[in-house]
Amino acid sequence: MFGFGDFWVAAAYLLCILSTALCVVYGLMHWNDDEEIPAAVHPPDENLDFEETI
Amino acid sequence: MNLQILLIIIGIYALIVGYLGWLGYKSTKSASDYLVGGRQIHPVLMSLAYGSTFISTSAIVGFAGVASMMGMGLLWLTMLNIFIGIFIAFAIFGTRTRRIGAELDAHTFPELLGRRFKSRFIQGFSGFIIAVLMPLYAAAVMIGGARFLEVQLGLNFSLSLFVFASIVVVYVFYGGLKGVVYTDAFQGTIMLVGMLVLLGYTYSHLGGFSSHQALTDMSSLVPQKLVADGHRGWTAMPEFNSKLWWTMVSTIIMGVGIGVLAQPQLCVRFMTVKSSKELYRALIPGSIFILIMTGVPYIVGSLTNLYFWQKENKIALAMVVDPATGKPNIDKLIPTYIGYAMPEWFAYLFMVTLLAAAMSTLSGLFHAIGTSIGRDLYQQSIAKGNHQERTVPFAKTGILVAFVATILLAYNLAPGIIAIATALFFGMCAAVFLPAYISALFWKGATRTGVVSGMLTGMFSWGIWVLFFHEKESSALGLSNMLFGKTSLVSGTTWAVVDPILIGLPLSAIVTVVVSLMKNRQS
C-alpha cells in the first residue's frame, strides 16, 4: 500500500492523515461549544490555608 | 551561503521577535497576564505556541537523522503526537485543565495539582522537579541554538550560547507568557513554511508517492549491523521484539508520544484561553502544525537514502561518516541533504526555521522554570503563600535563575548527558506527573496521600531504572559503573533497552490508585 514495504508503516502514514482529519472535523463540529470561564473558587490573591496532613 | 545575506535575514527576524516581545510587555498588566496570558489568548496563537514549544530543533534535525537510519516506522510517533499530543490533549485534557484551572485560579501546572489536592507539598515538589530537570532539557535546546550561530555566523561557541540565551530571556522576562505566545506564533509560522517547502521539494525531486516504492526496493542495502538488530528496510517496521523494535517502540514512540501529555510548559497553555470552544477551534491549526512538523522530518529523513543512492550511490548513513571517528553522525544528515538537494534560498529559510524552533522551545522552558521557582517553589511552598502582591517579581527572579542555571549546565555538562537530556526530561514528566495530572482532572476519588505516594514512586522507580538499568542513560551517567563495575545491571538483555517510562509510569499509576483506594476505604 502506497509503495511501503510493510502494512504497519502504511497504516501509520494513513493514520497520521486520518488523525489530523479527526482533529479538523471535531474542531469544526464543536466550533461553538462554549463553556464560559467559571468564577474562581479562590479569589486571585487569596492566601490559601491548606491542611498538609497526608 | 552568503554571510551578509544571512545576517540581514537574522537581523530582520530578531527585530520582529523583539517587537512581538515588546507587544507582550505592553499588554501585561497583572500576574494573571504574566503567568497565563490573562486567559484571553486567541486559539490560533495558542495552538501555534503549543506546537512550536513542543517541537524543538532536535525534533527536526535529530529525528530526521534517526529516520534516515531507522526508517518510516517513526511515523507512528507522528500519529501519536497528533492523536495524543493534540486531540486527547486539547479536547479531553485541555478542556478540563482550563475549567479546573480557572475554578481554582491556578496559574501554573504545579499550582493546578497543588490546589486540586489542597497541598503545598505537591505544588512545591512539582516545582522542584521542574526546576531541577527542565534546565537539563533547556540546556540541550540552548546548545542546539548556539551551535547554529557558531556554525552559520562564525561566532565563538561560548559567545553564541550567551547571545542566543540572552535574546530569549529578555523577551520572556519582560513579556511574560504573552511575550512567549506572540513570539512562538511567529516562529511557528516560519517553521511551518520551512517544512512544507522541504517536503514539496523532496517529493517533487524523487517522484512523489512512487519514491516510497523505490525506497522499499532498496531494503537489501541496509547495513548488516542494522539487519542483525532487526532492521527490515526503511519503509518497514523493525522485526518484532528485536533490539531495534524495542528502541523504536519503547523509547521513541511511547516515551515521546505519551510523555507529551504531562509536560508542564505545554499544559499551562490550556489555561491561557477563555473557554472550551477556543480549545476545540485550536485543534484545527494544532493538528495540521504537528502533522507537518513531525511527519516531514521522518519522511524526508528516510527518503534521503533514495536521494543519495541516486546521486552518489551511497545510503544516507554513508554520506555523514565523521572522518575523525569513522562513524556516521546522523545530526549532519539534514544539513548535508539541504546543501545537496535544496536551492540556496531555502538554506537561508531553513536556518531561520531551526533558530525559530530552538527559540520557541527555550522561551516556553524559561517561563515554566521561572514560574516554578518563583511561584511554586518559593512563594506558594516555602513562603506559604505570603507576598501575593509580589508574584510577578518572584517569577521574574525565577526566570533569571533559570537563565543562569541553564547557561551553567550548557557550559559544564558532559556531551553524553546533554544528548540524553530530552529523554530524561520527557520520561520524568510522564512518570511523576501523568498519574497525578490524570487523577486531578478525572478522578474524584484520588486522595492527596495517593497522589503524593504515586509521584514519589514514579520519581524513584524511574530514577533507579535510569541510573542502573537503561543502558543508554546509565552508561552516560556512570553511577552504575562506579558502584558495580557495569554500565547496566541487565547489560546484554532486552531489559537494558526498555525505556524507564515503561517502568516508572505504570508503578506510579498503580501506587496512586491503590493508596487512594485504601485511604478512601479507611475514611
Side-chain angles (χ1 to χ4, degrees):
Chain A
M1 198 165 45
F2 308 125
F4 295 114
D6 169 298
F7 165 78
W8 294 105
V9 170
Y13 194 91
L14 195 62
L15 283 171
C16 287
I17 295 164
L18 289 178
S19 302
T20 309
L22 169 73
C23 289
V24 171
V25 171
Y26 198 86
L28 290 172
M29 281 170 60
H30 294 267
W31 189 261
N32 284 317
D33 275 12
D34 217 348
E35 180 193 34
E36 275 300 316
I37 195 163
V41 174
H42 302 290
D45 288 339
E46 185 184 0
N47 184 358
L48 298 171
D49 186 19
F50 289 151
E51 181 218 335
E52 276 301 323
T53 322
I54 56 172
Chain B
M1 184 176 280
N2 185 318
L3 187 63
Q4 277 183 331
I5 296 177
L6 185 62
L7 271 173
I8 291 169
I9 293 173
I10 291 179
I12 294 169
Y13 164 81
L15 280 177
I16 296 173
V17 167
Y19 172 70
L20 293 169
W22 179 79
L23 274 187
Y25 169 71
K26 287 294 286 180
S27 58
T28 296
K29 310 282 182 207
S30 65
S32 169
D33 287 340
Y34 197 82
L35 298 176
V36 286
R39 303 189 202 275
Q40 297 286 333
I41 300 289
H42 190 278
V44 173
L45 296 186
M46 191 287 279
S47 64
L48 285 174
Y50 179 95
S52 60
T53 302
F54 185 176
I55 304 296
S56 66
T57 317
S58 67
I60 300 172
V61 175
F63 279 1
V66 175
S68 74
M69 180 181 73
M70 289 190 175
M72 292 194 192
L74 285 169
L75 284 171
W76 280 104
L77 178 55
T78 299
M79 185 261 160
L80 282 176
N81 283 154
I82 299 165
F83 188 73
I84 297 178
I86 298 292
F87 184 72
I88 303 276
F90 282 28
I92 298 173
F93 281 64
T95 46
R96 287 253 179 168
T97 304
R98 189 210 65 78
R99 186 170 61 76
I100 295 172
E103 280 173 5
L104 299 175
D105 198 43
H107 293 85
T108 63
F109 176 72
E111 191 159 272
L112 179 83
L113 297 181
R115 291 193 170 187
R116 165 66 181 79
F117 296 107
K118 294 190 169 65
S119 165
R120 289 197 194 287
F121 174 78
I122 291 179
Q123 184 169 359
F125 175 70
S126 306
F128 174 76
I129 292 282
I130 295 167
V132 169
L133 263 189
M134 205 183 267
L136 268 181
Y137 176 38
V141 173
M142 194 190 276
I143 285 176
R147 289 264 178 241
F148 162 85
L149 294 179
E150 182 193 24
V151 173
Q152 299 305 325
L153 302 183
L155 290 175
N156 164 285
F157 177 69
S158 301
L159 181 65
S160 305
L161 200 69
F162 192 77
V163 167
F164 175 73
S166 301
I167 293 171
V168 177
V169 83
V170 166
Y171 70 74
V172 178
F173 182 87
Y174 287 107
L177 198 70
K178 286 191 175 183
V180 171
V181 168
Y182 295 164
T183 51
D184 278 3
F186 168 62
Q187 289 155 344
T189 308
I190 294 176
M191 291 157 68
L192 198 59
V193 173
M195 288 293 107
L196 276 173
V197 174
L198 182 64
L199 181 71
Y201 252 86
T202 302
Y203 265 149
S204 70
H205 263 311
L206 298 173
F209 286 146
S210 65
S211 59
H212 301 162
Q213 185 61 53
L215 188 62
T216 303
D217 296 339
M218 287 173 58
S219 60
S220 60
L221 298 171
V222 174
Q224 277 310 305
K225 188 181 174 304
L226 288 175
V227 173
D229 286 344
H231 204 304
R232 299 192 304 123
W234 291 282
T235 59
M237 285 294 285
E239 196 176 327
F240 178 69
N241 207 22
S242 64
K243 189 178 167 189
L244 207 60
W245 188 89
W246 273 105
T247 305
M248 186 186 277
V249 172
S250 78
T251 304
I252 298 174
I253 296 176
M254 302 298 281
V256 185
I258 294 177
V260 67
L261 275 180
Q263 286 187 37
Q265 79 280 16
L266 298 181
C267 298
V268 76
R269 300 282 185 272
F270 303 138
M271 297 195 271
T272 65
V273 295
K274 188 180 171 194
S275 70
S276 294
K277 76 177 177 192
E278 271 79 18
L279 284 165
Y280 294 127
R281 291 176 182 186
L283 278 170
I284 300 169
S287 59
I288 295 170
F289 183 85
I290 295 296
L291 173 71
I292 303 297
M293 294 312 301
T294 63
V296 171
Y298 302 148
I299 293 170
V300 172
S302 303
L303 286 174
T304 55
N305 285 291
L306 178 62
Y307 179 84
F308 287 127
W309 184 252
Q310 288 178 349
K311 298 281 175 196
E312 300 287 332
N313 231 19
K314 286 181 181 174
I315 62 166
L317 285 179
M319 291 296 298
V320 289
V321 173
D322 189 333
T325 62
K327 291 181 177 172
N329 179 356
I330 53 176
D331 285 343
K332 288 190 174 164
L333 189 268
I334 281 291
T336 306
Y337 173 69
I338 286 167
Y340 259 79
M342 302 297 288
E344 192 181 341
W345 63 264
F346 181 78
Y348 296 109
L349 173 61
F350 193 71
M351 289 304 142
V352 181
T353 300
L354 293 185
L355 194 59
M359 286 176 98
S360 56
T361 304
L362 191 61
S363 62
L365 296 179
F366 274 162
H367 189 269
I369 301 169
T371 54
S372 287
I373 295 172
R375 172 85 179 174
D376 302 314
L377 190 57
Y378 180 70
Q379 186 192 50
Q380 293 294 321
S381 191
I382 295 171
K384 306 273 182 214
N386 291 315
H387 315 299
Q388 289 288 340
E389 73 291 351
R390 287 160 69 186
T391 294
V392 173
F394 284 143
K396 284 185 168 176
T397 309
I399 288 168
L400 290 181
V401 173
F403 169 72
V404 173
T406 310
I407 287 237
L408 287 177
L409 277 177
Y411 280 137
N412 294 310
L413 270 187
I417 294 174
I418 289 291
I420 57 170
T422 305
L424 287 175
F425 170 72
F426 277 42
M428 181 67 138
C429 280
V432 177
F433 295 134
L434 192 54
Y437 183 40
I438 291 175
S439 304
L441 299 184
F442 302 106
W443 189 26
K444 284 189 177 164
T447 66
R448 180 164 49 216
T449 318
V451 167
V452 170
S453 311
M455 290 175 93
L456 292 173
T457 305
M459 181 182 76
F460 285 116
S461 57
W462 176 89
I464 288 169
W465 200 261
V466 160
L467 287 171
F468 299 108
F469 294 92
H470 194 230
E471 199 153 19
K472 190 176 162 199
E473 280 118 18
S474 63
S475 59
L477 296 170
L479 189 63
S480 176
N481 197 30
M482 199 171 82
L483 294 179
F484 303 108
K486 286 172 157 183
T487 52
S488 160
L489 295 179
V490 287
S491 196
T493 70
T494 305
W495 287 107
V497 292
V498 172
D499 196 86
I501 196 176
L502 291 183
I503 307 296
L505 178 59
L507 283 176
S508 169
I510 290 166
V511 169
T512 304
V513 172
V514 170
V515 175
S516 290
L517 290 176
M518 281 165 56
K519 194 80 181 169
N520 282 337
R521 187 169 290 182
Q522 277 175 11
S523 57

mmCIF file of all heavy atoms in Angstrom, chain B residues 487-507:
data_model
loop_
_atom_site.group_PDB
_atom_site.id
_atom_site.type_symbol
_atom_site.label_atom_id
_atom_site.label_comp_id
_atom_site.label_asym_id
_atom_site.label_seq_id
_atom_site.Cartn_x
_atom_site.Cartn_y
_atom_site.Cartn_z
ATOM 1 N N THR B 487 28.033 -1.043 33.063
ATOM 2 C CA THR B 487 27.279 0.127 32.608
ATOM 3 C C THR B 487 25.787 -0.050 32.856
ATOM 4 O O THR B 487 25.041 0.914 32.972
ATOM 5 C CB THR B 487 27.513 0.380 31.108
ATOM 6 O OG1 THR B 487 27.260 -0.827 30.412
ATOM 7 C CG2 THR B 487 28.922 0.858 30.842
ATOM 8 N N SER B 488 25.315 -1.305 32.915
ATOM 9 C CA SER B 488 23.920 -1.575 33.275
ATOM 10 C C SER B 488 23.871 -2.931 33.980
ATOM 11 O O SER B 488 24.589 -3.865 33.605
ATOM 12 C CB SER B 488 23.051 -1.608 32.008
ATOM 13 O OG SER B 488 21.848 -2.304 32.272
ATOM 14 N N LEU B 489 22.996 -3.021 34.988
ATOM 15 C CA LEU B 489 22.903 -4.286 35.736
ATOM 16 C C LEU B 489 22.274 -5.393 34.890
ATOM 17 O O LEU B 489 22.337 -6.556 35.254
ATOM 18 C CB LEU B 489 22.089 -4.084 37.023
ATOM 19 C CG LEU B 489 22.726 -3.133 38.042
ATOM 20 C CD1 LEU B 489 21.841 -2.982 39.279
ATOM 21 C CD2 LEU B 489 24.107 -3.628 38.458
ATOM 22 N N VAL B 490 21.602 -5.009 33.803
ATOM 23 C CA VAL B 490 20.967 -6.019 32.940
ATOM 24 C C VAL B 490 21.572 -5.962 31.531
ATOM 25 O O VAL B 490 20.912 -6.269 30.552
ATOM 26 C CB VAL B 490 19.432 -5.816 32.881
ATOM 27 C CG1 VAL B 490 18.786 -6.248 34.178
ATOM 28 C CG2 VAL B 490 19.092 -4.376 32.553
ATOM 29 N N SER B 491 22.831 -5.545 31.482
ATOM 30 C CA SER B 491 23.515 -5.390 30.198
ATOM 31 C C SER B 491 23.439 -6.666 29.358
ATOM 32 O O SER B 491 23.582 -7.772 29.880
ATOM 33 C CB SER B 491 24.977 -5.056 30.493
ATOM 34 O OG SER B 491 25.567 -4.546 29.357
ATOM 35 N N GLY B 492 23.168 -6.477 28.074
ATOM 36 C CA GLY B 492 23.122 -7.634 27.184
ATOM 37 C C GLY B 492 21.745 -8.267 27.078
ATOM 38 O O GLY B 492 21.508 -9.132 26.239
ATOM 39 N N THR B 493 20.794 -7.851 27.923
ATOM 40 C CA THR B 493 19.432 -8.386 27.836
ATOM 41 C C THR B 493 18.511 -7.331 27.230
ATOM 42 O O THR B 493 18.879 -6.155 27.136
ATOM 43 C CB THR B 493 18.872 -8.765 29.225
ATOM 44 O OG1 THR B 493 18.642 -7.551 29.950
ATOM 45 C CG2 THR B 493 19.861 -9.635 30.002
ATOM 46 N N THR B 494 17.294 -7.761 26.865
ATOM 47 C CA THR B 494 16.319 -6.814 26.299
ATOM 48 C C THR B 494 15.959 -5.731 27.316
ATOM 49 O O THR B 494 15.659 -4.594 26.966
ATOM 50 C CB THR B 494 15.043 -7.571 25.877
ATOM 51 O OG1 THR B 494 15.431 -8.612 24.991
ATOM 52 C CG2 THR B 494 14.062 -6.660 25.179
ATOM 53 N N TRP B 495 16.019 -6.081 28.613
ATOM 54 C CA TRP B 495 15.660 -5.101 29.651
ATOM 55 C C TRP B 495 16.511 -3.839 29.558
ATOM 56 O O TRP B 495 16.067 -2.754 29.906
ATOM 57 C CB TRP B 495 15.833 -5.718 31.045
ATOM 58 C CG TRP B 495 14.777 -6.721 31.358
ATOM 59 C CD1 TRP B 495 14.919 -8.079 31.402
ATOM 60 C CD2 TRP B 495 13.397 -6.450 31.649
ATOM 61 N NE1 TRP B 495 13.723 -8.671 31.703
ATOM 62 C CE2 TRP B 495 12.756 -7.690 31.863
ATOM 63 C CE3 TRP B 495 12.627 -5.289 31.746
ATOM 64 C CZ2 TRP B 495 11.413 -7.815 32.165
ATOM 65 C CZ3 TRP B 495 11.274 -5.402 32.050
ATOM 66 C CH2 TRP B 495 10.688 -6.643 32.247
ATOM 67 N N ALA B 496 17.746 -3.993 29.077
ATOM 68 C CA ALA B 496 18.654 -2.842 29.014
ATOM 69 C C ALA B 496 18.205 -1.788 28.008
ATOM 70 O O ALA B 496 18.687 -0.660 28.035
ATOM 71 C CB ALA B 496 20.072 -3.312 28.681
ATOM 72 N N VAL B 497 17.288 -2.157 27.092
ATOM 73 C CA VAL B 497 16.784 -1.158 26.135
ATOM 74 C C VAL B 497 15.328 -0.772 26.406
ATOM 75 O O VAL B 497 14.738 -0.003 25.660
ATOM 76 C CB VAL B 497 16.934 -1.618 24.656
ATOM 77 C CG1 VAL B 497 18.390 -1.680 24.258
ATOM 78 C CG2 VAL B 497 16.242 -2.936 24.395
ATOM 79 N N VAL B 498 14.732 -1.320 27.477
ATOM 80 C CA VAL B 498 13.351 -0.938 27.815
ATOM 81 C C VAL B 498 13.376 0.434 28.496
ATOM 82 O O VAL B 498 14.064 0.626 29.502
ATOM 83 C CB VAL B 498 12.680 -1.993 28.723
ATOM 84 C CG1 VAL B 498 11.335 -1.500 29.220
ATOM 85 C CG2 VAL B 498 12.507 -3.301 27.955
ATOM 86 N N ASP B 499 12.631 1.371 27.932
ATOM 87 C CA ASP B 499 12.686 2.755 28.413
ATOM 88 C C ASP B 499 12.183 2.875 29.857
ATOM 89 O O ASP B 499 11.219 2.212 30.242
ATOM 90 C CB ASP B 499 11.836 3.638 27.504
ATOM 91 C CG ASP B 499 12.152 5.097 27.710
ATOM 92 O OD1 ASP B 499 13.103 5.580 27.071
ATOM 93 O OD2 ASP B 499 11.475 5.744 28.539
ATOM 94 N N PRO B 500 12.811 3.761 30.650
ATOM 95 C CA PRO B 500 12.389 3.946 32.048
ATOM 96 C C PRO B 500 10.924 4.349 32.195
ATOM 97 O O PRO B 500 10.300 4.073 33.225
ATOM 98 C CB PRO B 500 13.298 5.071 32.544
ATOM 99 C CG PRO B 500 14.477 5.048 31.646
ATOM 100 C CD PRO B 500 14.014 4.544 30.324
ATOM 101 N N ILE B 501 10.366 4.967 31.184
ATOM 102 C CA ILE B 501 8.958 5.383 31.273
ATOM 103 C C ILE B 501 8.038 4.156 31.413
ATOM 104 O O ILE B 501 7.006 4.212 32.075
ATOM 105 C CB ILE B 501 8.563 6.231 30.037
ATOM 106 C CG1 ILE B 501 7.264 6.976 30.297
ATOM 107 C CG2 ILE B 501 8.396 5.389 28.807
ATOM 108 C CD1 ILE B 501 6.880 7.894 29.139
ATOM 109 N N LEU B 502 8.441 3.033 30.801
ATOM 110 C CA LEU B 502 7.602 1.829 30.870
ATOM 111 C C LEU B 502 7.682 1.179 32.245
ATOM 112 O O LEU B 502 6.884 0.303 32.571
ATOM 113 C CB LEU B 502 8.020 0.819 29.787
ATOM 114 C CG LEU B 502 7.720 1.236 28.352
ATOM 115 C CD1 LEU B 502 8.098 0.138 27.377
ATOM 116 C CD2 LEU B 502 6.251 1.595 28.170
ATOM 117 N N ILE B 503 8.625 1.601 33.063
ATOM 118 C CA ILE B 503 8.732 1.104 34.435
ATOM 119 C C ILE B 503 8.098 2.131 35.380
ATOM 120 O O ILE B 503 7.215 1.813 36.177
ATOM 121 C CB ILE B 503 10.220 0.892 34.832
ATOM 122 C CG1 ILE B 503 10.931 0.002 33.799
ATOM 123 C CG2 ILE B 503 10.349 0.365 36.253
ATOM 124 C CD1 ILE B 503 10.418 -1.415 33.698
ATOM 125 N N GLY B 504 8.561 3.375 35.289
ATOM 126 C CA GLY B 504 8.132 4.417 36.228
ATOM 127 C C GLY B 504 6.657 4.769 36.123
ATOM 128 O O GLY B 504 5.979 4.908 37.151
ATOM 129 N N LEU B 505 6.146 4.873 34.902
ATOM 130 C CA LEU B 505 4.752 5.309 34.729
ATOM 131 C C LEU B 505 3.744 4.294 35.276
ATOM 132 O O LEU B 505 2.868 4.670 36.066
ATOM 133 C CB LEU B 505 4.490 5.637 33.251
ATOM 134 C CG LEU B 505 3.076 6.069 32.889
ATOM 135 C CD1 LEU B 505 2.663 7.305 33.665
ATOM 136 C CD2 LEU B 505 2.965 6.349 31.383
ATOM 137 N N PRO B 506 3.837 2.993 34.917
ATOM 138 C CA PRO B 506 2.858 2.047 35.483
ATOM 139 C C PRO B 506 2.945 1.958 37.008
ATOM 140 O O PRO B 506 1.915 1.922 37.679
ATOM 141 C CB PRO B 506 3.240 0.704 34.842
ATOM 142 C CG PRO B 506 4.067 1.035 33.666
ATOM 143 C CD PRO B 506 4.716 2.352 33.934
ATOM 144 N N LEU B 507 4.170 1.955 37.549
ATOM 145 C CA LEU B 507 4.303 1.844 39.012
ATOM 146 C C LEU B 507 3.681 3.059 39.699
ATOM 147 O O LEU B 507 2.952 2.930 40.693
ATOM 148 C CB LEU B 507 5.787 1.738 39.404
ATOM 149 C CG LEU B 507 6.436 0.369 39.180
ATOM 150 C CD1 LEU B 507 7.925 0.417 39.509
ATOM 151 C CD2 LEU B 507 5.754 -0.694 40.032
#
